[in-house]
């Protein structure tokens, strides 16, 4: 199973919350034997969204390929003014370039959502990502992780608290159990 971890920030320091979460999820999926790829706008060089007048930019072609190749996604963003980051939304807007494919956008993909904020409002970011994921025809994992940043780190070890690790591990387990593409359709009633 191919897993995409979408770090929706422009943070490049390895010590930011975004990059620590990205690293944690990537390592846990790799330990379970899944093929994992990380995409971040800071490395992707995604321009502001506008329908191209000529060829699609190569960075956008690559981004679309990465998003379409993955069976499941984990989207990570800090809460910015009640929503996801603008650069994350801009990146997702470029998926419009897949609209003419036989399976456009993120049709059939499973997307898990994680958002953090300094207060208790991270669920607003989850809701914003949920709306976009559904508009892109993805299935949203019915288990998200809104994070109160002041409770994310253990004061002594400076690592994630056991409570949040348990939530992240549950999300990883649920995504791993989904086995996208391995399951046969469920039928009910008479054949």
């Amino acid at each position: 199973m191919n897993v995409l971890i979408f770090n929706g920030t422009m943070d490049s320091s390895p010590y930011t919350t975004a990059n620590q979460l990205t690293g944690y999820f990537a390592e846990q999926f790799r330990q379970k034997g899944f093929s994992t790829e990380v995409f971040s706008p800071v490395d992707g060089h995604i321009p502001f969204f506008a329908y191209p007048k000529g060829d699609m930019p190569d960075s956008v072609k690559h981004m679309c390929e990465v998003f379409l190749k993955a069976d499941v996604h984990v989207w990570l963003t800090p809460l910015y003014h009640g929503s996801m980051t603008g650069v994350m939304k801009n990146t997702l807007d470029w998926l419009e370039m897949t609209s003419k494919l036989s399976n456009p956008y993120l049709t059939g993909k499973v997307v898990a959502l994680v958002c953090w904020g300094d207060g208790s409002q991270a669920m607003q970011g989850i809701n914003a990502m949920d709306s976009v994921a559904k508009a892109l025809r993805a299935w949203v994992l019915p288990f998200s992780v809104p994070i109160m940043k002041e409770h994310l780190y253990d004061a002594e070890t400076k690592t994630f608290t056991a409570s949040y690790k348990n939530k992240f591990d549950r999300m990883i387990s649920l995504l791993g159990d989904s086995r996208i593409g391995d399951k046969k359709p469920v039928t009910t009633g008479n054949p």
Side-chain angles (χ1 to χ4, degrees):
M1 180 166 65
N2 295 316
V3 178
L4 171 64
I5 300 166
F6 179 24
N7 174 349
T9 71
M10 292 296 287
D11 294 333
S12 59
S13 168
Y15 303 107
T16 64
T17 297
N19 289 316
Q20 288 186 41
L21 287 167
T22 298
Y24 183 84
F25 276 94
E27 181 59 27
Q28 296 305 309
F29 279 115
R30 284 187 197 112
Q31 286 181 14
K32 293 187 178 299
F34 298 122
S35 174
T36 305
E37 187 161 358
V38 174
F39 184 87
S40 177
V42 73
D43 301 321
H45 308 289
I46 303 300
F48 286 116
F49 177 73
Y51 283 97
K53 292 182 174 42
D55 289 337
M56 189 179 358
D58 288 340
S59 60
V60 172
K61 286 180 189 174
H62 173 71
M63 182 274 301
C64 288
E65 289 170 5
V66 167
F67 275 66
L68 295 176
K69 178 176 71 172
D71 301 304
V72 300
H73 295 200
V74 177
W75 292 0
L76 309 166
T77 186
L79 183 68
Y80 273 28
H81 306 111
S83 189
M84 70 187 86
T85 63
V87 70
M88 181 179 208
K89 177 65 167 68
N90 181 67
T91 300
L92 294 168
D93 286 344
W94 276 104
L95 288 170
E96 184 61 27
M97 299 298 98
T98 69
S99 66
K100 304 292 189 228
L101 298 177
S102 59
N103 286 314
Y105 309 114
L106 300 178
T107 301
K109 310 289 182 189
V110 176
V111 177
L113 309 172
V114 178
C115 182
W116 59 96
D118 287 330
S120 59
Q121 302 300 314
M123 198 62 201
Q124 292 177 351
I126 299 285
N127 290 336
M129 290 187 291
D130 179 83
S131 293
V132 171
K134 288 176 179 171
L136 292 170
R137 303 181 186 179
W139 295 99
V140 177
L141 186 73
F143 180 84
S144 58
V145 183
I147 299 169
M148 289 182 66
K149 194 171 172 189
E150 58 268 24
H151 298 288
L152 178 59
Y153 297 100
D154 182 276
E156 292 180 20
T157 65
K158 307 296 185 211
T159 60
F160 298 137
T161 60
S163 173
Y164 277 110
K165 278 185 182 178
N166 288 337
K167 291 176 184 181
F168 302 149
D169 293 346
R170 170 155 306 175
M171 177 177 276
I172 291 163
S173 177
L174 289 169
L175 288 169
D177 289 347
S178 67
R179 297 279 184 207
I180 306 303
D182 292 348
K183 291 186 177 180
K184 304 259 188 277
V186 177
T187 58
T188 57
N190 295 328

PDB file of all heavy atoms in Angstrom, residues 54-78:
ATOM      1  N   GLY A  54      -0.606  27.225 -21.063  1.00  0.00           N
ATOM      2  CA  GLY A  54       0.135  26.280 -21.898  1.00  0.00           C
ATOM      3  C   GLY A  54       0.257  24.966 -21.147  1.00  0.00           C
ATOM      4  O   GLY A  54      -0.721  24.460 -20.599  1.00  0.00           O
ATOM      5  N   ASP A  55       1.468  24.452 -21.107  1.00  0.00           N
ATOM      6  CA  ASP A  55       1.711  23.211 -20.391  1.00  0.00           C
ATOM      7  C   ASP A  55       1.619  23.429 -18.883  1.00  0.00           C
ATOM      8  O   ASP A  55       1.945  24.506 -18.372  1.00  0.00           O
ATOM      9  CB  ASP A  55       3.100  22.666 -20.722  1.00  0.00           C
ATOM     10  CG  ASP A  55       3.183  22.133 -22.147  1.00  0.00           C
ATOM     11  OD1 ASP A  55       2.124  21.780 -22.706  1.00  0.00           O
ATOM     12  OD2 ASP A  55       4.303  22.086 -22.690  1.00  0.00           O
ATOM     13  N   MET A  56       1.181  22.389 -18.206  1.00  0.00           N
ATOM     14  CA  MET A  56       1.146  22.422 -16.755  1.00  0.00           C
ATOM     15  C   MET A  56       2.584  22.461 -16.238  1.00  0.00           C
ATOM     16  O   MET A  56       3.455  21.777 -16.771  1.00  0.00           O
ATOM     17  CB  MET A  56       0.423  21.155 -16.243  1.00  0.00           C
ATOM     18  CG  MET A  56       0.144  21.177 -14.781  1.00  0.00           C
ATOM     19  SD  MET A  56      -0.746  19.704 -14.123  1.00  0.00           S
ATOM     20  CE  MET A  56      -1.086  18.669 -15.487  1.00  0.00           C
ATOM     21  N   PRO A  57       2.861  23.252 -15.183  1.00  0.00           N
ATOM     22  CA  PRO A  57       4.222  23.282 -14.632  1.00  0.00           C
ATOM     23  C   PRO A  57       4.676  21.880 -14.202  1.00  0.00           C
ATOM     24  O   PRO A  57       3.875  21.092 -13.687  1.00  0.00           O
ATOM     25  CB  PRO A  57       4.095  24.215 -13.422  1.00  0.00           C
ATOM     26  CG  PRO A  57       2.873  25.040 -13.688  1.00  0.00           C
ATOM     27  CD  PRO A  57       1.956  24.169 -14.489  1.00  0.00           C
ATOM     28  N   ASP A  58       5.939  21.580 -14.417  1.00  0.00           N
ATOM     29  CA  ASP A  58       6.476  20.259 -14.057  1.00  0.00           C
ATOM     30  C   ASP A  58       6.283  19.951 -12.575  1.00  0.00           C
ATOM     31  O   ASP A  58       6.007  18.810 -12.219  1.00  0.00           O
ATOM     32  CB  ASP A  58       7.963  20.167 -14.410  1.00  0.00           C
ATOM     33  CG  ASP A  58       8.192  20.071 -15.913  1.00  0.00           C
ATOM     34  OD1 ASP A  58       7.244  19.692 -16.645  1.00  0.00           O
ATOM     35  OD2 ASP A  58       9.314  20.378 -16.351  1.00  0.00           O
ATOM     36  N   SER A  59       6.418  20.967 -11.712  1.00  0.00           N
ATOM     37  CA  SER A  59       6.239  20.729 -10.271  1.00  0.00           C
ATOM     38  C   SER A  59       4.812  20.289  -9.965  1.00  0.00           C
ATOM     39  O   SER A  59       4.584  19.440  -9.102  1.00  0.00           O
ATOM     40  CB  SER A  59       6.589  21.992  -9.476  1.00  0.00           C
ATOM     41  OG  SER A  59       5.767  23.081  -9.860  1.00  0.00           O
ATOM     42  N   VAL A  60       3.851  20.815 -10.695  1.00  0.00           N
ATOM     43  CA  VAL A  60       2.447  20.443 -10.496  1.00  0.00           C
ATOM     44  C   VAL A  60       2.198  19.037 -11.047  1.00  0.00           C
ATOM     45  O   VAL A  60       1.490  18.242 -10.422  1.00  0.00           O
ATOM     46  CB  VAL A  60       1.508  21.471 -11.153  1.00  0.00           C
ATOM     47  CG1 VAL A  60       0.061  20.993 -11.128  1.00  0.00           C
ATOM     48  CG2 VAL A  60       1.643  22.823 -10.449  1.00  0.00           C
ATOM     49  N   LYS A  61       2.782  18.717 -12.206  1.00  0.00           N
ATOM     50  CA  LYS A  61       2.649  17.356 -12.747  1.00  0.00           C
ATOM     51  C   LYS A  61       3.158  16.338 -11.739  1.00  0.00           C
ATOM     52  O   LYS A  61       2.502  15.326 -11.471  1.00  0.00           O
ATOM     53  CB  LYS A  61       3.444  17.210 -14.055  1.00  0.00           C
ATOM     54  CG  LYS A  61       2.841  17.882 -15.240  1.00  0.00           C
ATOM     55  CD  LYS A  61       3.730  17.670 -16.464  1.00  0.00           C
ATOM     56  CE  LYS A  61       3.276  18.519 -17.615  1.00  0.00           C
ATOM     57  NZ  LYS A  61       4.208  18.439 -18.756  1.00  0.00           N
ATOM     58  N   HIS A  62       4.322  16.618 -11.166  1.00  0.00           N
ATOM     59  CA  HIS A  62       4.898  15.708 -10.174  1.00  0.00           C
ATOM     60  C   HIS A  62       3.986  15.598  -8.955  1.00  0.00           C
ATOM     61  O   HIS A  62       3.724  14.496  -8.466  1.00  0.00           O
ATOM     62  CB  HIS A  62       6.288  16.175  -9.751  1.00  0.00           C
ATOM     63  CG  HIS A  62       6.862  15.382  -8.626  1.00  0.00           C
ATOM     64  ND1 HIS A  62       7.278  14.077  -8.778  1.00  0.00           N
ATOM     65  CD2 HIS A  62       7.040  15.691  -7.319  1.00  0.00           C
ATOM     66  CE1 HIS A  62       7.698  13.618  -7.609  1.00  0.00           C
ATOM     67  NE2 HIS A  62       7.568  14.579  -6.709  1.00  0.00           N
ATOM     68  N   MET A  63       3.494  16.727  -8.462  1.00  0.00           N
ATOM     69  CA  MET A  63       2.603  16.710  -7.299  1.00  0.00           C
ATOM     70  C   MET A  63       1.359  15.880  -7.582  1.00  0.00           C
ATOM     71  O   MET A  63       0.963  15.041  -6.765  1.00  0.00           O
ATOM     72  CB  MET A  63       2.225  18.148  -6.915  1.00  0.00           C
ATOM     73  CG  MET A  63       1.327  18.280  -5.676  1.00  0.00           C
ATOM     74  SD  MET A  63      -0.462  18.131  -5.960  1.00  0.00           S
ATOM     75  CE  MET A  63      -0.782  19.436  -7.100  1.00  0.00           C
ATOM     76  N   CYS A  64       0.738  16.078  -8.714  1.00  0.00           N
ATOM     77  CA  CYS A  64      -0.466  15.308  -9.059  1.00  0.00           C
ATOM     78  C   CYS A  64      -0.161  13.816  -9.118  1.00  0.00           C
ATOM     79  O   CYS A  64      -0.945  13.001  -8.625  1.00  0.00           O
ATOM     80  CB  CYS A  64      -1.061  15.798 -10.378  1.00  0.00           C
ATOM     81  SG  CYS A  64      -1.861  17.411 -10.274  1.00  0.00           S
ATOM     82  N   GLU A  65       0.976  13.448  -9.700  1.00  0.00           N
ATOM     83  CA  GLU A  65       1.369  12.035  -9.762  1.00  0.00           C
ATOM     84  C   GLU A  65       1.523  11.447  -8.362  1.00  0.00           C
ATOM     85  O   GLU A  65       1.063  10.332  -8.098  1.00  0.00           O
ATOM     86  CB  GLU A  65       2.675  11.881 -10.542  1.00  0.00           C
ATOM     87  CG  GLU A  65       2.536  12.126 -12.021  1.00  0.00           C
ATOM     88  CD  GLU A  65       3.877  12.216 -12.738  1.00  0.00           C
ATOM     89  OE1 GLU A  65       4.940  12.000 -12.101  1.00  0.00           O
ATOM     90  OE2 GLU A  65       3.876  12.540 -13.944  1.00  0.00           O
ATOM     91  N   VAL A  66       2.156  12.191  -7.471  1.00  0.00           N
ATOM     92  CA  VAL A  66       2.371  11.727  -6.098  1.00  0.00           C
ATOM     93  C   VAL A  66       1.031  11.524  -5.393  1.00  0.00           C
ATOM     94  O   VAL A  66       0.799  10.504  -4.735  1.00  0.00           O
ATOM     95  CB  VAL A  66       3.264  12.722  -5.320  1.00  0.00           C
ATOM     96  CG1 VAL A  66       3.253  12.442  -3.828  1.00  0.00           C
ATOM     97  CG2 VAL A  66       4.685  12.697  -5.870  1.00  0.00           C
ATOM     98  N   PHE A  67       0.122  12.480  -5.535  1.00  0.00           N
ATOM     99  CA  PHE A  67      -1.177  12.399  -4.862  1.00  0.00           C
ATOM    100  C   PHE A  67      -2.022  11.259  -5.427  1.00  0.00           C
ATOM    101  O   PHE A  67      -2.740  10.593  -4.689  1.00  0.00           O
ATOM    102  CB  PHE A  67      -1.919  13.728  -4.966  1.00  0.00           C
ATOM    103  CG  PHE A  67      -1.539  14.721  -3.903  1.00  0.00           C
ATOM    104  CD1 PHE A  67      -0.261  15.254  -3.863  1.00  0.00           C
ATOM    105  CD2 PHE A  67      -2.445  15.113  -2.945  1.00  0.00           C
ATOM    106  CE1 PHE A  67       0.108  16.165  -2.898  1.00  0.00           C
ATOM    107  CE2 PHE A  67      -2.096  16.027  -1.961  1.00  0.00           C
ATOM    108  CZ  PHE A  67      -0.803  16.557  -1.933  1.00  0.00           C
ATOM    109  N   LEU A  68      -1.946  11.031  -6.737  1.00  0.00           N
ATOM    110  CA  LEU A  68      -2.746   9.984  -7.361  1.00  0.00           C
ATOM    111  C   LEU A  68      -2.177   8.589  -7.117  1.00  0.00           C
ATOM    112  O   LEU A  68      -2.923   7.615  -7.048  1.00  0.00           O
ATOM    113  CB  LEU A  68      -2.885  10.233  -8.856  1.00  0.00           C
ATOM    114  CG  LEU A  68      -3.670  11.493  -9.244  1.00  0.00           C
ATOM    115  CD1 LEU A  68      -3.654  11.678 -10.756  1.00  0.00           C
ATOM    116  CD2 LEU A  68      -5.085  11.464  -8.712  1.00  0.00           C
ATOM    117  N   LYS A  69      -0.866   8.488  -6.983  1.00  0.00           N
ATOM    118  CA  LYS A  69      -0.221   7.184  -6.777  1.00  0.00           C
ATOM    119  C   LYS A  69      -0.551   6.599  -5.403  1.00  0.00           C
ATOM    120  O   LYS A  69      -0.669   5.383  -5.253  1.00  0.00           O
ATOM    121  CB  LYS A  69       1.290   7.337  -6.930  1.00  0.00           C
ATOM    122  CG  LYS A  69       2.075   6.058  -6.695  1.00  0.00           C
ATOM    123  CD  LYS A  69       3.553   6.253  -6.952  1.00  0.00           C
ATOM    124  CE  LYS A  69       4.153   7.108  -5.871  1.00  0.00           C
ATOM    125  NZ  LYS A  69       5.607   7.208  -5.928  1.00  0.00           N
ATOM    126  N   ALA A  70      -0.720   7.441  -4.411  1.00  0.00           N
ATOM    127  CA  ALA A  70      -0.949   6.972  -3.043  1.00  0.00           C
ATOM    128  C   ALA A  70      -2.350   6.390  -2.877  1.00  0.00           C
ATOM    129  O   ALA A  70      -3.325   6.920  -3.412  1.00  0.00           O
ATOM    130  CB  ALA A  70      -0.747   8.118  -2.061  1.00  0.00           C
ATOM    131  N   ASP A  71      -2.421   5.305  -2.133  1.00  0.00           N
ATOM    132  CA  ASP A  71      -3.720   4.708  -1.801  1.00  0.00           C
ATOM    133  C   ASP A  71      -4.383   5.457  -0.657  1.00  0.00           C
ATOM    134  O   ASP A  71      -5.598   5.640  -0.638  1.00  0.00           O
ATOM    135  CB  ASP A  71      -3.529   3.238  -1.392  1.00  0.00           C
ATOM    136  CG  ASP A  71      -2.890   2.423  -2.489  1.00  0.00           C
ATOM    137  OD1 ASP A  71      -3.440   2.398  -3.607  1.00  0.00           O
ATOM    138  OD2 ASP A  71      -1.831   1.819  -2.239  1.00  0.00           O
ATOM    139  N   VAL A  72      -3.574   5.827   0.330  1.00  0.00           N
ATOM    140  CA  VAL A  72      -4.075   6.578   1.479  1.00  0.00           C
ATOM    141  C   VAL A  72      -3.196   7.803   1.703  1.00  0.00           C
ATOM    142  O   VAL A  72      -2.021   7.816   1.352  1.00  0.00           O
ATOM    143  CB  VAL A  72      -4.136   5.721   2.772  1.00  0.00           C
ATOM    144  CG1 VAL A  72      -5.057   4.530   2.595  1.00  0.00           C
ATOM    145  CG2 VAL A  72      -2.765   5.274   3.211  1.00  0.00           C
ATOM    146  N   HIS A  73      -3.813   8.834   2.276  1.00  0.00           N
ATOM    147  CA  HIS A  73      -3.117  10.085   2.572  1.00  0.00           C
ATOM    148  C   HIS A  73      -3.259  10.383   4.057  1.00  0.00           C
ATOM    149  O   HIS A  73      -4.299  10.091   4.654  1.00  0.00           O
ATOM    150  CB  HIS A  73      -3.757  11.260   1.845  1.00  0.00           C
ATOM    151  CG  HIS A  73      -3.665  11.223   0.366  1.00  0.00           C
ATOM    152  ND1 HIS A  73      -3.811  12.361  -0.400  1.00  0.00           N
ATOM    153  CD2 HIS A  73      -3.456  10.221  -0.526  1.00  0.00           C
ATOM    154  CE1 HIS A  73      -3.696  12.059  -1.678  1.00  0.00           C
ATOM    155  NE2 HIS A  73      -3.491  10.760  -1.776  1.00  0.00           N
ATOM    156  N   VAL A  74      -2.250  11.042   4.625  1.00  0.00           N
ATOM    157  CA  VAL A  74      -2.359  11.673   5.935  1.00  0.00           C
ATOM    158  C   VAL A  74      -2.046  13.141   5.701  1.00  0.00           C
ATOM    159  O   VAL A  74      -0.957  13.480   5.239  1.00  0.00           O
ATOM    160  CB  VAL A  74      -1.367  11.075   6.956  1.00  0.00           C
ATOM    161  CG1 VAL A  74      -1.468  11.806   8.282  1.00  0.00           C
ATOM    162  CG2 VAL A  74      -1.616   9.583   7.145  1.00  0.00           C
ATOM    163  N   TRP A  75      -3.023  14.012   5.975  1.00  0.00           N
ATOM    164  CA  TRP A  75      -2.840  15.449   5.787  1.00  0.00           C
ATOM    165  C   TRP A  75      -2.567  16.088   7.135  1.00  0.00           C
ATOM    166  O   TRP A  75      -3.330  15.888   8.093  1.00  0.00           O
ATOM    167  CB  TRP A  75      -4.081  16.072   5.166  1.00  0.00           C
ATOM    168  CG  TRP A  75      -4.356  15.666   3.752  1.00  0.00           C
ATOM    169  CD1 TRP A  75      -3.644  14.822   2.965  1.00  0.00           C
ATOM    170  CD2 TRP A  75      -5.467  16.095   2.955  1.00  0.00           C
ATOM    171  NE1 TRP A  75      -4.233  14.699   1.730  1.00  0.00           N
ATOM    172  CE2 TRP A  75      -5.349  15.471   1.698  1.00  0.00           C
ATOM    173  CE3 TRP A  75      -6.543  16.941   3.179  1.00  0.00           C
ATOM    174  CZ2 TRP A  75      -6.264  15.674   0.665  1.00  0.00           C
ATOM    175  CZ3 TRP A  75      -7.457  17.143   2.174  1.00  0.00           C
ATOM    176  CH2 TRP A  75      -7.318  16.524   0.919  1.00  0.00           C
ATOM    177  N   LEU A  76      -1.503  16.884   7.213  1.00  0.00           N
ATOM    178  CA  LEU A  76      -1.071  17.535   8.444  1.00  0.00           C
ATOM    179  C   LEU A  76      -1.024  19.042   8.244  1.00  0.00           C
ATOM    180  O   LEU A  76      -0.410  19.509   7.276  1.00  0.00           O
ATOM    181  CB  LEU A  76       0.335  17.062   8.826  1.00  0.00           C
ATOM    182  CG  LEU A  76       0.588  15.554   8.886  1.00  0.00           C
ATOM    183  CD1 LEU A  76       2.082  15.270   8.948  1.00  0.00           C
ATOM    184  CD2 LEU A  76      -0.111  14.955  10.082  1.00  0.00           C
ATOM    185  N   THR A  77      -1.643  19.811   9.155  1.00  0.00           N
ATOM    186  CA  THR A  77      -1.575  21.269   9.058  1.00  0.00           C
ATOM    187  C   THR A  77      -1.745  21.912  10.429  1.00  0.00           C
ATOM    188  O   THR A  77      -2.509  21.408  11.252  1.00  0.00           O
ATOM    189  CB  THR A  77      -2.653  21.838   8.119  1.00  0.00           C
ATOM    190  OG1 THR A  77      -2.444  23.250   7.948  1.00  0.00           O
ATOM    191  CG2 THR A  77      -4.048  21.618   8.647  1.00  0.00           C
ATOM    192  N   PRO A  78      -1.039  23.026  10.652  1.00  0.00           N
ATOM    193  CA  PRO A  78      -1.375  23.836  11.822  1.00  0.00           C
ATOM    194  C   PRO A  78      -2.661  24.601  11.516  1.00  0.00           C
ATOM    195  O   PRO A  78      -3.022  24.785  10.347  1.00  0.00           O
ATOM    196  CB  PRO A  78      -0.183  24.782  11.959  1.00  0.00           C
ATOM    197  CG  PRO A  78       0.373  24.890  10.578  1.00  0.00           C
ATOM    198  CD  PRO A  78       0.096  23.572   9.912  1.00  0.00           C
TER     199      PRO A  78
END
